[in-house]
């Protein structure tokens, strides 16, 4: 039978990290010793108290369906956590628990954006935003993140692209892939525009705890913004729980019940014992998180120093997340390589080091001439030293 997909499947993008990862795994299976900076997940183990809570939950037979929006005790823990950390009042009814933070992107866009609407999103950015905007037939409108602004927005540019068709703006701070953090001033300017144009704000705050300088600010903390904001957060990055698949959205109650309806249609509910483990993550001790963040900061300082010693590489000191987005324009020129993909392939095959090219995070913006690659430093200091020594040996 000839396989004919629905037309909408042509609109769906993907997360290229998984493609590179497959290539890395293939090389590894051929016996290559690859040092990988590809994957965006903490290399630490999930803290023991969280694992114990899941084991206890399974042994107590919490292995059945739960409510689509999440278990009451977890929704309550999340409401308390977000109220405290964002300095706003959140009710449990405003929380929807999902298998990872990612479904909140899919559900919010499906729930709020019609075909023909426009959605502004950061570029370079997490590729799933653009993929899902396209999938619903809306128009993705990238807002370039500028290296000279610490990978923040040019607010004047934002003012030019926002219009009456704009339905939503997506923010991500601390950011993947640049490590940039939006300032309070920028958030205030964005908030004004969101109010003026009656926009929804999808604020992806999955890296909110992984911040090294200054403090984390959420747009939802700004007056009147909570009613038009969906906060995306979760447990994957903060508690090294990527494989557990648990995250959530915080949004106005009326929207939460419709998003829960999407959950009912898709997965019924998030695994109940995973939710009980997440409840322990928020209610239990936080010292393991503090330890992880301290270690990430040391690794960040190490990788930034080593990267800046490589000929033709330069990078800013990222303020958050566990990524560094290195400008490699000069290196490409010196090595006669056309772009970041060619450099990524060059160092993968000649130095056995895996990174992700700029294009894994969206098409280049108009007039963007610089080239970048992303390193995830969610890997040991030994690997950082080994990988960067290999690149230095190859490139100089
Ligand atoms: N948002 C951003 C910016 C991310 O980088 C990621 C994961 O890499 C996610 C959302 C998804 O997180 P989760 O694994 O909880 O679905």
């Amino acid at each position: 039978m000839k396989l004919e997909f629905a037309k909408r499947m042509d609109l769906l993008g993907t997360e290229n990290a998984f493609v590179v990862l497959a290539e890395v795994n293939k090389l590894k299976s051929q016996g290559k010793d690859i040092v990988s900076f590809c994957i965006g997940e903490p290399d630490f183990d999930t803290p023991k108290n969280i694992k114990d809570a899941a084991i206890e939950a399974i042994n107590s037979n919490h292995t059945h369906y739960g409510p689509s929006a999440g278990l009451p005790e977890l929704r309550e823990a999340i409401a308390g956590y977000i109220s405290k950390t964002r300095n706003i009042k959140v009710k449990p009814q405003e929380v929807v628990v999902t298998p990872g933070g990612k479904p909140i992107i899919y559900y919010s866009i499906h729930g709020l954006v019609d075909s023909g609407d426009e959605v502004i999103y950061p570029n370079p950015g997490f590729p799933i935003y653009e993929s899902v905007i396209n999938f619903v037939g809306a128009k993705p409108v990238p807002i370039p993140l500028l290296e000279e602004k610490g990978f923040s927005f040019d607010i004047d540019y934002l003012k030019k692209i926002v219009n009456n068709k704009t339905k939503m703006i997506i923010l991500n701070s601390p950011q993947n892939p640049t490590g940039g953090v939006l300032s309070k001033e920028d958030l205030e300017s964005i908030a004004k525009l969101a109010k003026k144009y009656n926009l929804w704000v999808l604020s992806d705050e999955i890296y909110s705890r992984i911040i090294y300088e200054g403090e984390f600010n959420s747009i939802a903390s700004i007056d009147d913004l909570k009613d038009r904001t969906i906060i995306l957060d979760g447990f994957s990055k903060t508690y090294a729980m990527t494989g557990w698949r648990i995250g959530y959205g915080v949004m106005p109650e009326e929207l939460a019940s419709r998003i829960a309806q999407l959950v009912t249609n898709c997965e019924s509910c998030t695994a109940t014992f995973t939710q009980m483990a997440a409840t322990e993550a928020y209610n239990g001790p936080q010292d393991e998180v503090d330890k992880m963040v301290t270690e990430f900061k040391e690794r960040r300082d190490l990788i930034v120093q080593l990267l800046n010693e490589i000929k033709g590489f330069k990078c800013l000191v990222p303020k958050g997340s566990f990524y560094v987005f290195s400008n490699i324009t000069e290196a490409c020129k010196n090595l006669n390589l056309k772009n970041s993909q060619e450099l990524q392939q060059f160092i993968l095959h000649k130095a056995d080091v895996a990174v992700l090219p700029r294009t894994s995070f969206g098409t280049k913006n108009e007039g963007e001439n610089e080239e970048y690659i992303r390193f995830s430093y969610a890997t040991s200091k030994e690997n950082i030293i080994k990988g960067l020594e290999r690149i230095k040996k190859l490139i100089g």
Side-chain angles (χ1 to χ4, degrees):
M1 185 189 148
K2 187 166 177 288
L3 199 50
E4 272 188 37
F5 293 101
K7 292 215 176 30
R8 78 176 72 84
M9 287 301 285
D10 294 343
L11 303 172
L12 194 64
T14 191
E15 198 175 340
N16 189 253
F18 289 104
V19 178
V20 177
L21 204 65
E23 193 180 2
V24 169
N25 287 338
K26 194 168 157 214
L27 289 169
K28 280 185 177 168
S29 72
Q30 291 163 358
K32 289 262 187 196
D33 167 34
I34 307 284
V35 179
S36 179
F37 296 100
C38 279
I39 194 77
E41 67 171 347
D43 53 324
F44 305 105
D45 294 331
T46 304
K48 187 171 181 312
N49 62 313
I50 299 175
K51 291 193 283 197
D52 285 346
I55 293 163
E56 163 70 19
I58 292 171
N59 285 334
S60 313
N61 298 310
H62 289 288
T63 51
H64 300 279
Y65 289 131
S68 291
L71 293 178
E73 56 267 48
L74 178 57
R75 291 175 88 195
E76 193 158 319
I78 293 167
Y81 171 80
I82 293 290
S83 300
K84 195 167 124 209
T85 51
R86 274 63 166 186
N87 203 17
I88 48 177
K89 270 208 179 86
V90 173
K91 294 183 289 184
Q93 298 91 305
E94 294 170 313
V95 175
V96 182
V97 177
T98 43
K102 212 180 209 177
I104 293 297
I105 302 171
Y106 193 89
Y107 291 149
S108 313
I109 295 174
H110 274 78
L112 294 168
V113 178
D114 274 314
S115 89
D117 289 342
E118 297 187 5
V119 180
I120 296 173
Y121 68 102
N123 185 19
F126 191 48
I128 298 308
Y129 309 139
E130 188 183 307
S131 169
V132 182
I133 298 165
N134 275 319
F135 198 50
V136 299
K139 181 176 169 196
V141 181
I143 169 125
L145 298 185
L146 305 173
E147 190 177 7
E148 62 271 23
K149 268 207 84 191
F151 292 114
S152 184
F153 299 165
D154 176 354
I155 298 293
D156 289 332
Y157 184 84
L158 179 61
K159 284 182 187 157
K160 280 190 208 137
I161 57 174
V162 68
N163 64 65
N164 293 333
K165 284 195 197 147
T166 313
K167 191 63 177 275
M168 177 185 274
I169 177 163
I170 302 177
L171 307 177
N172 175 213
S173 174
Q175 215 249 351
N176 176 10
T178 64
V181 173
L182 291 171
S183 68
K184 219 173 177 172
E185 296 70 44
D186 281 354
L187 289 173
E188 265 156 18
S189 308
I190 297 164
K192 271 194 200 134
L193 286 173
K195 280 192 246 178
K196 183 171 169 195
Y197 287 89
N198 196 24
L199 308 183
W200 280 100
V201 182
L202 172 56
S203 184
D204 185 341
E205 303 178 2
I206 198 94
Y207 298 100
S208 55
R209 292 275 285 278
I210 307 175
I211 191 153
Y212 313 111
E213 261 102 49
E215 52 168 21
F216 166 72
N217 290 297
S218 170
I219 196 162
S221 312
I222 297 174
D223 277 352
D224 302 335
L225 254 284
K226 184 184 159 237
D227 288 350
R228 55 176 73 251
T229 303
I230 300 135
I231 297 175
L232 179 165
D233 204 339
F235 301 84
S236 301
K237 317 286 175 176
T238 312
Y239 297 93
M241 290 177 76
T242 47
W244 295 68
R245 308 314 299 136
I246 180 117
Y248 59 85
V250 174
M251 62 200 82
E253 189 175 342
E254 204 183 336
L255 176 61
S257 61
R258 297 308 301 271
I259 297 291
Q261 188 187 354
L262 283 167
V263 176
T264 307
N265 275 268
C266 264
E267 61 250 345
S268 297
C269 66
T270 304
T272 39
F273 46 86
T274 300
Q275 293 191 60
M276 295 183 81
T279 309
E280 168 62 20
Y282 273 171
N283 292 343
Q286 301 298 308
D287 35 327
E288 290 299 315
V289 179
D290 297 339
K291 267 195 236 158
M292 282 190 245
V293 176
T294 304
E295 173 68 21
F296 281 140
K297 184 167 190 277
E298 288 174 14
R299 293 175 184 180
R300 177 202 65 168
D301 294 341
L302 176 67
I303 197 165
V304 167
Q305 186 207 325
L306 295 177
L307 276 169
N308 282 324
E309 287 170 9
I310 296 172
K311 204 169 148 214
F313 280 45
K314 60 174 180 163
C315 64
L316 300 174
V317 181
K319 292 192 179 132
S321 74
F322 37 64
Y323 307 111
V324 56
F325 205 52
S326 178
N327 186 321
I328 42 105
T329 316
E330 278 306 311
C332 285
K333 272 192 206 137
N334 298 341
L335 298 160
N336 238 336
L337 298 170
K338 263 209 309 273
N339 52 33
S340 62
Q341 287 121 292
E342 287 198 356
L343 189 94
Q344 178 256 333
Q345 285 291 311
F346 182 68
I347 61 177
L348 177 59
H349 294 285
K350 296 262 190 283
D352 294 336
V353 174
V355 296
L356 293 181
R358 157 70 177 96
T359 43
S360 294
F361 305 97
T363 325
K364 279 173 101 175
N365 294 302
E366 238 178 80
E368 183 182 318
N369 298 317
E370 306 289 289
E371 297 291 339
Y372 299 90
I373 50 176
R374 187 196 84 172
F375 290 76
S376 160
Y377 52 88
T379 186
S380 67
K381 286 180 190 136
E382 291 72 38
N383 273 343
I384 293 173
I385 293 168
K386 185 169 153 189
L388 285 253
E389 266 174 4
R390 286 185 186 177
I391 301 178
K392 189 158 174 54
K393 211 167 142 205
L394 178 72
I395 293 180

